[in-house]
Amino acid sequence: MISYIKGPLTAIEEDVIVVEAGGVGMGIHVPLSVLDRLPGIGREVTVYTYFQVREDAMSLYGFLNRQDREMFRQLIGVNGVGPKAALGILSTMTPDDLRMAIVTGDAKAISRAPGIGPKTAQRLILDLKDKVSMEEVLGNLALPSDGGTSAALGTIGMGEAAKEAVQALVALGYSNMEANKAVKQVEVTETMTAEDVLKASLRYLSF
């Protein structure tokens, strides 16, 4: 198994990049979302790869970190989602956005990817919802520049689940005011998780 390839980036061709390793140029299929995160031509890059062998072809798929490669592996494990469709999903949305869509059950966002219909999106969410946790999503989201303190976010007096939901909404681009207003519309109970509160808040924001 080829776990990763490290070497100078020699070419970028649509959804394929070429990385030189041991004097050989390795063609690697990548999501379009990776292209603007690559170093310049001639600069060294490390690409974490998934090597697929079929009767008629051998293909390399590459990602800039192990977590994104694992997301790709999970996607192609869903019935009806092959490597091409998985790359299409990860080209349409970042892995972090996809994780958020899975956690919140946002099939509409996933179905925007080419070749992914509503039924496939729902099946993907059903298959992967237990493999993606709210903690993982929040851990990957960027915190506000003020450090995300309760005072800065306006979450003083809120329970932990509500605070995490506000933090996630702010990281998604909503203002502190919008995030707080949405979360306060939710009747939060002691049994609700941050994921539950976030889903309910997003439903309010979608109106």
Side-chain angles (χ1 to χ4, degrees):
M1 182 180 73
I2 302 174
S3 181
Y4 68 89
I5 295 173
K6 183 177 182 180
L9 177 67
T10 61
I12 300 175
E13 305 168 356
E14 295 185 2
D15 66 338
V16 175
I17 63 173
V18 180
V19 178
E20 184 178 331
V24 177
M26 310 292 287
I28 307 168
H29 297 275
V30 297
L32 297 180
S33 57
V34 163
L35 298 182
D36 61 357
R37 296 156 54 198
L38 291 169
I41 297 294
R43 300 283 297 275
E44 186 174 84
V45 64
T46 299
V47 182
Y48 296 91
T49 55
Y50 176 85
F51 185 41
Q52 184 190 52
V53 179
R54 300 186 311 184
E55 290 184 4
D56 58 343
M58 292 186 292
S59 302
L60 272 173
Y61 299 90
F63 309 89
L64 296 184
N65 57 60
R66 294 183 179 89
Q67 292 83 359
D68 292 354
R69 179 180 61 185
E70 181 58 27
M71 187 80 259
F72 175 80
R73 284 175 171 163
Q74 291 176 350
L75 284 173
I76 62 176
V78 175
N79 186 33
V81 179
K84 183 177 180 180
L87 279 188
I89 293 171
L90 294 174
S91 294
T92 303
M93 57 201 313
T94 67
D96 286 342
D97 288 341
L98 175 58
R99 292 183 185 99
M100 179 63 77
I102 292 169
V103 166
T104 59
D106 190 354
K108 184 177 180 180
I110 297 172
S111 63
R112 294 192 186 105
I116 301 296
K119 289 184 178 179
T120 301
Q122 290 286 3
R123 182 165 59 246
L124 188 154
I125 290 170
L126 185 64
D127 286 0
L128 299 184
K129 66 179 182 180
D130 292 332
K131 298 179 182 179
V132 179
S133 66
M134 175 58 70
E135 289 73 20
E136 181 183 3
V137 172
L138 292 176
N140 289 331
L141 288 172
L143 288 172
S145 59
D146 56 30
T149 63
S150 294
L153 291 174
T155 58
I156 293 175
M158 286 187 178
E160 285 304 313
K163 287 180 181 179
E164 289 184 13
V166 170
Q167 177 182 320
L169 289 171
V170 171
L172 286 171
Y174 292 100
S175 68
N176 289 350
M177 183 180 296
E178 289 172 327
N180 274 279
K181 185 176 180 180
V183 170
K184 287 176 181 177
Q185 294 296 318
V186 180
E187 189 174 339
V188 181
T189 65
E190 292 183 359
T191 60
M192 291 178 74
T193 64
E195 179 180 339
D196 296 329
V197 179
L198 180 59
K199 286 180 179 179
S201 302
L202 285 169
R203 283 196 292 270
Y204 168 79
L205 288 166
S206 67
F207 292 145

